[in-house]
Amino acid sequence: MKLLLAEDDVKLAEYLVRNLKASGYVVEWADNGVDAEFLAIEEDFDCIILDLGLPQKPGLEVLRSWRTQKLETPVLILTARDSWQERVDGLRAGADDYLGKPFKIEELLARLEAVLRRRFGHADTSLRLNDIEL
């Protein structure tokens, strides 16, 4: 599974990339909203992890732009902006899930798995081809 991580905090991004890769994901990282918006339109991702406090273009604007352009890639917002109103705004803008910082990596991975299950229409996280299963 290929993910786009849009996060401007370098230490957090490195931590997330390391843990996501260890969990079997391929990860591309954008550290600002302009690059994140462009990458999601130009490349195929299975899911996007999006911070709202991005430089150059805020995450909520990026999300609204993606949805206006009919990008259907699931988006999991990961942000320090965690009031109930901000969660509602993010979900109404087109996010598929919302997780506030600070967080536990286990919860992020579980939410990511749930978003991907919903996208691909099944609850099984294994991949099968003939007699081979991963």
Side-chain angles (χ1 to χ4, degrees), residues 67-134:
R67 296 312 188 219
T68 298
Q69 295 178 63
K70 305 296 184 212
L71 182 74
E72 296 180 358
T73 305
V75 174
L76 190 162
I77 291 176
L78 179 64
T79 187
R81 298 177 186 174
D82 196 30
S83 73
W84 71 266
Q85 187 61 51
E86 288 165 320
R87 289 192 305 269
V88 168
D89 290 344
L91 293 167
R92 286 192 172 150
D96 297 274
D97 202 351
Y98 198 109
L99 180 60
K101 297 175 186 174
F103 63 95
K104 296 288 187 187
I105 191 67
E106 295 83 3
E107 183 178 6
L108 173 66
L109 292 170
R111 286 176 177 272
L112 183 58
E113 290 167 11
V115 167
L116 290 167
R117 276 195 309 269
R118 287 191 299 268
R119 176 171 191 208
F120 292 106
H122 56 82
D124 188 0
T125 59
S126 62
L127 177 63
R128 290 186 191 89
L129 178 62
N130 298 326
D131 294 333
I132 300 171
E133 181 177 342
L134 299 172

Coordinates of all heavy atoms in Angstrom, one line a residue, residues 67-134:
R67 N -10.9 17.4 -3.0 CA -12.3 16.9 -3.2 C -13.0 17.7 -4.3 O -13.8 17.1 -5.1 CB -13.1 17.1 -1.9 CG -12.5 16.2 -0.7 CD -12.3 14.7 -1.2 NE -12.0 13.9 0.0 CZ -11.1 12.9 -0.1 NH1 -10.4 12.6 -1.2 NH2 -10.9 12.1 1.0
T68 N -12.7 18.9 -4.5 CA -13.2 19.7 -5.6 C -12.8 19.1 -7.0 O -13.5 19.1 -7.9 CB -12.8 21.2 -5.6 OG1 -13.3 21.7 -4.3 CG2 -13.3 22.0 -6.7
Q69 N -11.5 18.6 -7.0 CA -11.0 18.0 -8.2 C -11.4 16.5 -8.3 O -10.8 15.8 -9.2 CB -9.4 18.1 -8.2 CG -9.0 19.6 -8.3 CD -7.5 19.7 -8.2 OE1 -6.8 19.2 -9.1 NE2 -7.0 20.3 -7.2
K70 N -12.3 16.1 -7.4 CA -12.8 14.7 -7.5 C -11.8 13.6 -7.1 O -11.9 12.5 -7.5 CB -13.4 14.4 -8.8 CG -14.5 15.3 -9.3 CD -15.7 15.3 -8.4 CE -16.7 16.2 -8.9 NZ -17.5 16.9 -7.9
L71 N -10.7 14.0 -6.3 CA -9.8 13.0 -5.8 C -10.5 12.2 -4.7 O -10.9 12.8 -3.7 CB -8.5 13.7 -5.3 CG -7.5 12.7 -4.8 CD1 -6.7 12.1 -5.9 CD2 -6.5 13.5 -3.9
E72 N -10.6 10.9 -4.9 CA -11.3 10.1 -4.0 C -10.4 9.3 -3.0 O -10.9 8.5 -2.2 CB -12.2 9.1 -4.7 CG -13.3 9.8 -5.5 CD -14.2 8.8 -6.3 OE1 -13.9 7.6 -6.3 OE2 -15.1 9.3 -7.0
T73 N -9.1 9.6 -3.0 CA -8.2 8.9 -2.1 C -8.6 9.2 -0.7 O -8.9 10.3 -0.3 CB -6.8 9.4 -2.4 OG1 -6.5 9.2 -3.7 CG2 -5.8 8.6 -1.5
P74 N -8.7 8.1 0.2 CA -9.1 8.4 1.6 C -8.0 9.2 2.2 O -6.8 9.1 2.0 CB -9.1 7.0 2.2 CG -9.0 6.0 1.1 CD -8.5 6.7 -0.1
V75 N -8.5 10.1 3.1 CA -7.6 11.0 3.9 C -7.9 10.8 5.4 O -9.0 10.9 5.8 CB -7.9 12.5 3.5 CG1 -7.1 13.4 4.3 CG2 -7.6 12.7 2.0
L76 N -6.8 10.6 6.1 CA -6.8 10.6 7.5 C -6.1 11.8 8.0 O -4.9 12.0 7.8 CB -6.0 9.3 8.0 CG -6.1 8.9 9.5 CD1 -5.8 7.5 9.7 CD2 -5.3 9.8 10.4
I77 N -6.8 12.7 8.7 CA -6.2 13.9 9.2 C -5.5 13.6 10.5 O -6.1 12.9 11.4 CB -7.3 15.0 9.5 CG1 -7.8 15.5 8.1 CG2 -6.7 16.1 10.3 CD1 -8.9 16.5 8.2
L78 N -4.2 14.0 10.6 CA -3.4 13.9 11.8 C -2.9 15.2 12.2 O -2.1 15.8 11.5 CB -2.3 12.9 11.6 CG -1.3 12.7 12.7 CD1 -2.0 12.0 13.9 CD2 -0.1 11.9 12.3
T79 N -3.5 15.8 13.3 CA -3.2 17.2 13.6 C -3.3 17.5 15.1 O -4.0 16.8 15.8 CB -4.2 18.1 12.8 OG1 -3.8 19.5 13.0 CG2 -5.6 17.9 13.2
A80 N -2.7 18.6 15.5 CA -2.8 19.1 16.9 C -4.1 19.9 17.0 O -4.5 20.1 18.2 CB -1.6 20.0 17.2
R81 N -4.8 20.2 16.0 CA -6.1 20.9 16.0 C -7.2 19.9 16.3 O -7.6 19.2 15.4 CB -6.4 21.6 14.7 CG -5.3 22.7 14.4 CD -5.6 23.3 13.1 NE -4.5 24.2 12.7 CZ -4.4 24.8 11.6 NH1 -5.3 24.6 10.6 NH2 -3.3 25.6 11.3
D82 N -7.5 19.8 17.6 CA -8.4 18.6 18.0 C -9.6 19.0 18.7 O -10.2 18.2 19.5 CB -7.5 17.7 18.8 CG -8.2 16.3 18.9 OD1 -8.9 15.9 18.0 OD2 -8.0 15.7 20.0
S83 N -10.1 20.2 18.5 CA -11.4 20.6 19.1 C -12.5 19.9 18.4 O -12.3 19.5 17.2 CB -11.6 22.1 19.1 OG -11.9 22.5 17.8
W84 N -13.7 19.7 19.0 CA -14.8 19.0 18.3 C -15.2 19.8 17.0 O -15.5 19.1 16.0 CB -16.0 18.8 19.2 CG -16.7 20.1 19.5 CD1 -16.6 20.9 20.6 CD2 -17.8 20.7 18.7 NE1 -17.4 22.0 20.5 CE2 -18.2 21.9 19.3 CE3 -18.4 20.3 17.5 CZ2 -19.2 22.7 18.8 CZ3 -19.4 21.1 17.0 CH2 -19.8 22.3 17.6
Q85 N -15.1 21.1 17.0 CA -15.5 21.8 15.8 C -14.5 21.6 14.7 O -14.9 21.5 13.5 CB -15.6 23.3 16.1 CG -16.2 24.1 14.9 CD -17.6 23.7 14.5 OE1 -18.5 23.6 15.3 NE2 -17.8 23.4 13.2
E86 N -13.2 21.6 15.0 CA -12.2 21.3 14.0 C -12.3 19.9 13.4 O -12.1 19.7 12.2 CB -10.8 21.6 14.6 CG -10.5 23.0 14.8 CD -9.3 23.3 15.7 OE1 -9.1 22.6 16.7 OE2 -8.6 24.3 15.4
R87 N -12.7 18.9 14.3 CA -12.9 17.6 13.8 C -14.1 17.6 12.8 O -14.0 16.9 11.7 CB -13.1 16.6 14.9 CG -11.8 16.4 15.7 CD -11.9 15.2 16.7 NE -13.1 15.3 17.6 CZ -13.0 15.9 18.8 NH1 -11.9 16.4 19.3 NH2 -14.0 15.9 19.6
V88 N -15.1 18.2 13.2 CA -16.3 18.3 12.3 C -16.0 19.0 11.0 O -16.3 18.5 9.9 CB -17.5 19.0 13.0 CG1 -18.6 19.4 12.1 CG2 -18.0 18.2 14.2
D89 N -15.2 20.1 11.0 CA -14.8 20.8 9.8 C -14.0 19.9 8.9 O -14.2 19.9 7.7 CB -14.0 22.1 10.2 CG -14.9 23.2 10.8 OD1 -16.1 23.1 10.7 OD2 -14.3 24.1 11.4
G90 N -13.1 19.2 9.5 CA -12.2 18.3 8.7 C -13.0 17.1 8.1 O -12.8 16.8 6.9
L91 N -13.9 16.5 8.8 CA -14.7 15.5 8.3 C -15.7 16.0 7.2 O -15.9 15.4 6.1 CB -15.5 14.7 9.4 CG -14.6 14.0 10.4 CD1 -15.4 13.6 11.6 CD2 -14.0 12.8 9.7
R92 N -16.3 17.1 7.4 CA -17.2 17.7 6.4 C -16.4 18.2 5.2 O -17.0 18.2 4.1 CB -18.0 18.9 7.0 CG -19.0 18.4 7.9 CD -20.0 19.5 8.3 NE -21.1 18.9 9.1 CZ -21.8 19.5 10.0 NH1 -21.5 20.8 10.3 NH2 -22.8 18.9 10.6
A93 N -15.1 18.5 5.3 CA -14.3 18.9 4.1 C -14.0 17.7 3.3 O -13.5 17.9 2.2 CB -13.1 19.7 4.6
G94 N -14.2 16.5 3.8 CA -13.9 15.3 3.0 C -12.9 14.3 3.6 O -12.6 13.3 3.0
A95 N -12.5 14.5 4.9 CA -11.6 13.5 5.5 C -12.4 12.3 5.9 O -13.6 12.3 6.1 CB -11.0 14.1 6.8
D96 N -11.7 11.2 5.8 CA -12.3 9.9 6.2 C -12.2 9.5 7.6 O -12.9 8.7 8.1 CB -11.7 8.8 5.3 CG -12.1 9.1 3.8 OD1 -13.1 8.6 3.4 OD2 -11.2 9.7 3.1
D97 N -11.2 10.1 8.3 CA -10.9 9.9 9.7 C -10.1 11.1 10.2 O -9.6 11.8 9.4 CB -10.2 8.6 10.0 CG -10.4 8.0 11.4 OD1 -11.0 8.8 12.2 OD2 -10.0 6.9 11.6
Y98 N -10.1 11.2 11.5 CA -9.4 12.4 12.2 C -8.8 11.9 13.5 O -9.5 11.3 14.3 CB -10.5 13.4 12.5 CG -10.0 14.8 12.7 CD1 -10.2 15.8 11.8 CD2 -9.4 15.1 13.9 CE1 -9.8 17.1 12.0 CE2 -8.9 16.4 14.1 CZ -9.2 17.4 13.2 OH -8.7 18.7 13.4
L99 N -7.5 12.1 13.6 CA -6.8 11.7 14.8 C -6.0 12.9 15.3 O -5.2 13.6 14.6 CB -5.8 10.6 14.5 CG -5.0 10.0 15.7 CD1 -5.9 9.5 16.8 CD2 -4.1 8.9 15.2
G100 N -6.2 13.3 16.6 CA -5.5 14.4 17.2 C -4.1 14.0 17.7 O -3.9 12.9 18.1
K101 N -3.2 15.0 17.7 CA -1.9 14.9 18.4 C -2.0 15.4 19.8 O -2.7 16.3 20.0 CB -0.9 15.7 17.6 CG -0.6 15.3 16.2 CD 0.3 16.3 15.5 CE 0.5 16.0 14.0 NZ 1.3 17.1 13.4
P102 N -1.3 14.8 20.7 CA -0.4 13.6 20.6 C -1.3 12.3 20.4 O -2.4 12.3 20.7 CB 0.3 13.6 21.9 CG -0.6 14.3 22.9 CD -1.3 15.3 22.1
F103 N -0.6 11.3 19.9 CA -1.3 10.1 19.6 C -0.3 8.9 19.8 O 0.9 9.1 19.9 CB -1.7 10.1 18.1 CG -0.6 10.1 17.1 CD1 0.0 9.0 16.6 CD2 0.0 11.3 16.8 CE1 1.1 9.0 15.7 CE2 1.1 11.4 16.0 CZ 1.6 10.3 15.4
K104 N -0.8 7.7 19.8 CA 0.0 6.5 19.9 C 0.0 5.9 18.5 O -1.0 5.9 17.8 CB -0.7 5.5 20.8 CG -0.7 5.9 22.3 CD 0.6 5.9 22.9 CE 0.5 6.2 24.4 NZ 1.8 6.4 25.0
I105 N 1.2 5.5 18.1 CA 1.4 4.9 16.7 C 0.5 3.8 16.5 O 0.0 3.6 15.4 CB 2.9 4.6 16.5 CG1 3.1 4.3 15.0 CG2 3.3 3.4 17.3 CD1 3.0 5.4 14.1
E106 N 0.2 3.0 17.5 CA -0.7 1.8 17.4 C -2.1 2.3 17.0 O -2.8 1.6 16.1 CB -0.8 1.0 18.7 CG 0.5 0.4 19.1 CD 1.5 1.3 19.8 OE1 1.1 2.4 20.1 OE2 2.6 0.8 20.1
E107 N -2.6 3.4 17.5 CA -3.9 3.9 17.1 C -3.9 4.4 15.7 O -4.8 4.2 14.9 CB -4.4 5.0 18.1 CG -5.8 5.5 17.7 CD -6.4 6.5 18.6 OE1 -5.7 7.0 19.5 OE2 -7.6 6.9 18.4
L108 N -2.8 5.1 15.3 CA -2.7 5.6 13.9 C -2.8 4.4 13.0 O -3.5 4.5 12.0 CB -1.4 6.4 13.7 CG -1.2 6.8 12.3 CD1 -2.2 7.8 11.8 CD2 0.2 7.4 12.1
L109 N -2.0 3.4 13.3 CA -2.0 2.2 12.4 C -3.3 1.5 12.3 O -3.8 1.1 11.2 CB -0.9 1.2 12.8 CG 0.6 1.7 12.7 CD1 1.5 0.8 13.4 CD2 0.9 1.9 11.2
A110 N -4.0 1.4 13.4 CA -5.3 0.8 13.5 C -6.3 1.6 12.7 O -7.2 1.1 11.9 CB -5.8 0.6 14.9
R111 N -6.3 3.0 12.8 CA -7.2 3.8 12.0 C -6.9 3.8 10.5 O -7.8 3.7 9.7 CB -7.1 5.3 12.6 CG -7.8 5.5 13.9 CD -7.6 6.9 14.4 NE -8.3 7.1 15.6 CZ -9.6 7.5 15.7 NH1 -10.3 7.8 14.6 NH2 -10.1 7.7 16.9
L112 N -5.6 3.7 10.2 CA -5.2 3.6 8.8 C -5.7 2.3 8.2 O -6.3 2.3 7.1 CB -3.7 3.7 8.7 CG -3.0 3.6 7.4 CD1 -3.6 4.8 6.5 CD2 -1.5 3.7 7.5
E113 N -5.6 1.2 9.0 CA -6.1 -0.1 8.5 C -7.6 0.0 8.3 O -8.1 -0.6 7.3 CB -5.7 -1.2 9.5 CG -4.3 -1.5 9.5 CD -3.9 -2.4 10.7 OE1 -4.8 -2.9 11.4 OE2 -2.7 -2.6 11.0
A114 N -8.3 0.6 9.2 CA -9.8 0.7 9.1 C -10.2 1.5 7.8 O -11.1 1.2 7.1 CB -10.4 1.3 10.3
V115 N -9.5 2.6 7.6 CA -9.8 3.5 6.4 C -9.5 2.7 5.2 O -10.3 2.7 4.2 CB -8.9 4.8 6.5 CG1 -9.0 5.5 5.1 CG2 -9.4 5.7 7.6
L116 N -8.4 1.9 5.1 CA -8.1 1.1 3.9 C -9.1 0.0 3.7 O -9.5 -0.3 2.6 CB -6.7 0.6 4.0 CG -5.6 1.7 3.9 CD1 -4.3 1.2 4.3 CD2 -5.6 2.2 2.4
R117 N -9.6 -0.6 4.8 CA -10.6 -1.7 4.7 C -11.8 -1.1 4.1 O -12.5 -1.7 3.2 CB -10.9 -2.3 6.1 CG -10.0 -3.3 6.6 CD -10.6 -4.1 7.7 NE -11.1 -3.3 8.8 CZ -10.3 -2.9 9.9 NH1 -9.1 -3.2 10.0 NH2 -10.9 -2.2 10.8
R118 N -12.3 0.1 4.6 CA -13.5 0.7 4.0 C -13.3 1.0 2.5 O -14.2 0.8 1.7 CB -13.8 1.9 4.8 CG -14.4 1.6 6.2 CD -15.0 2.8 6.9 NE -14.1 3.9 7.1 CZ -13.4 4.1 8.2 NH1 -13.4 3.2 9.2 NH2 -12.6 5.1 8.3
R119 N -12.1 1.5 2.2 CA -11.9 1.8 0.8 C -11.9 0.6 -0.1 O -12.5 0.7 -1.2 CB -10.5 2.5 0.6 CG -10.3 2.8 -0.9 CD -9.1 3.6 -1.2 NE -9.2 4.0 -2.6 CZ -8.1 4.3 -3.3 NH1 -6.9 4.3 -2.7 NH2 -8.2 4.7 -4.5
F120 N -11.3 -0.5 0.3 CA -11.3 -1.6 -0.6 C -12.4 -2.6 -0.3 O -12.4 -3.7 -1.0 CB -9.9 -2.3 -0.5 CG -8.8 -1.4 -1.0 CD1 -7.9 -0.7 -0.2 CD2 -8.7 -1.2 -2.4 CE1 -6.9 0.1 -0.7 CE2 -7.7 -0.4 -2.9 CZ -6.8 0.2 -2.0
G121 N -13.3 -2.3 0.6 CA -14.5 -3.1 0.7 C -14.4 -4.4 1.4 O -15.2 -5.3 1.1
H122 N -13.3 -4.6 2.2 CA -13.2 -5.9 2.9 C -12.5 -5.7 4.2 O -11.7 -4.7 4.3 CB -12.5 -6.9 2.0 CG -11.2 -6.5 1.5 ND1 -10.0 -6.6 2.3 CD2 -10.8 -6.0 0.3 CE1 -9.0 -6.2 1.6 NE2 -9.4 -5.8 0.4
A123 N -12.7 -6.6 5.1 CA -12.1 -6.5 6.4 C -10.8 -7.3 6.5 O -10.1 -7.2 7.5 CB -13.0 -7.0 7.5
D124 N -10.4 -8.0 5.5 CA -9.2 -8.8 5.6 C -8.0 -8.0 5.1 O -8.1 -7.4 4.0 CB -9.4 -10.0 4.6 CG -8.3 -11.0 4.7 OD1 -7.3 -10.8 5.5 OD2 -8.3 -12.1 4.0
T125 N -7.0 -7.9 5.9 CA -5.8 -7.1 5.5 C -4.8 -7.9 4.8 O -3.7 -7.3 4.5 CB -5.2 -6.5 6.8 OG1 -4.8 -7.6 7.7 CG2 -6.1 -5.6 7.5
S126 N -5.0 -9.1 4.5 CA -4.0 -9.9 3.7 C -4.3 -9.7 2.2 O -5.4 -9.4 1.8 CB -4.1 -11.4 4.1 OG -5.4 -11.9 3.8
L127 N -3.2 -10.0 1.4 CA -3.3 -9.9 0.0 C -3.1 -11.3 -0.6 O -2.1 -12.0 -0.2 CB -2.2 -8.9 -0.5 CG -2.1 -8.8 -2.0 CD1 -3.4 -8.2 -2.6 CD2 -0.9 -7.9 -2.3
R128 N -4.0 -11.7 -1.5 CA -3.9 -13.1 -2.0 C -3.8 -13.0 -3.5 O -4.6 -12.3 -4.2 CB -5.1 -13.9 -1.6 CG -5.2 -14.2 -0.2 CD -6.4 -15.2 0.1 NE -6.6 -15.3 1.5 CZ -7.3 -14.5 2.3 NH1 -8.0 -13.6 1.7 NH2 -7.4 -14.7 3.6
L129 N -3.0 -13.9 -4.1 CA -2.9 -14.1 -5.5 C -2.7 -15.6 -5.7 O -1.6 -16.1 -5.3 CB -1.8 -13.3 -6.2 CG -1.6 -13.5 -7.7 CD1 -2.9 -13.1 -8.4 CD2 -0.4 -12.8 -8.2
N130 N -3.7 -16.3 -6.3 CA -3.7 -17.8 -6.4 C -3.4 -18.4 -5.0 O -4.1 -18.3 -4.1 CB -2.6 -18.2 -7.5 CG -3.0 -17.6 -8.8 OD1 -4.2 -17.5 -9.2 ND2 -2.0 -17.3 -9.6
D131 N -2.3 -19.1 -4.9 CA -1.9 -19.8 -3.7 C -1.0 -19.0 -2.8 O -0.5 -19.5 -1.7 CB -1.3 -21.2 -4.0 CG -2.3 -22.1 -4.6 OD1 -3.5 -22.0 -4.4 OD2 -1.8 -23.0 -5.3
I132 N -0.7 -17.8 -3.1 CA 0.3 -16.9 -2.4 C -0.5 -15.9 -1.6 O -1.4 -15.3 -2.1 CB 1.2 -16.2 -3.3 CG1 2.0 -17.2 -4.1 CG2 2.2 -15.3 -2.5 CD1 2.9 -16.6 -5.2
E133 N -0.2 -15.8 -0.3 CA -0.9 -14.9 0.6 C 0.2 -14.1 1.4 O 1.1 -14.7 1.9 CB -1.8 -15.6 1.6 CG -2.5 -14.7 2.5 CD -3.5 -15.5 3.4 OE1 -3.8 -16.6 3.2 OE2 -3.9 -14.8 4.4
L134 N 0.0 -12.8 1.4 CA 0.8 -11.9 2.2 C 0.0 -11.3 3.3 O -1.1 -10.9 3.1 CB 1.4 -10.8 1.3 CG 2.3 -11.2 0.2 CD1 2.6 -10.0 -0.7 CD2 3.5 -11.9 0.7

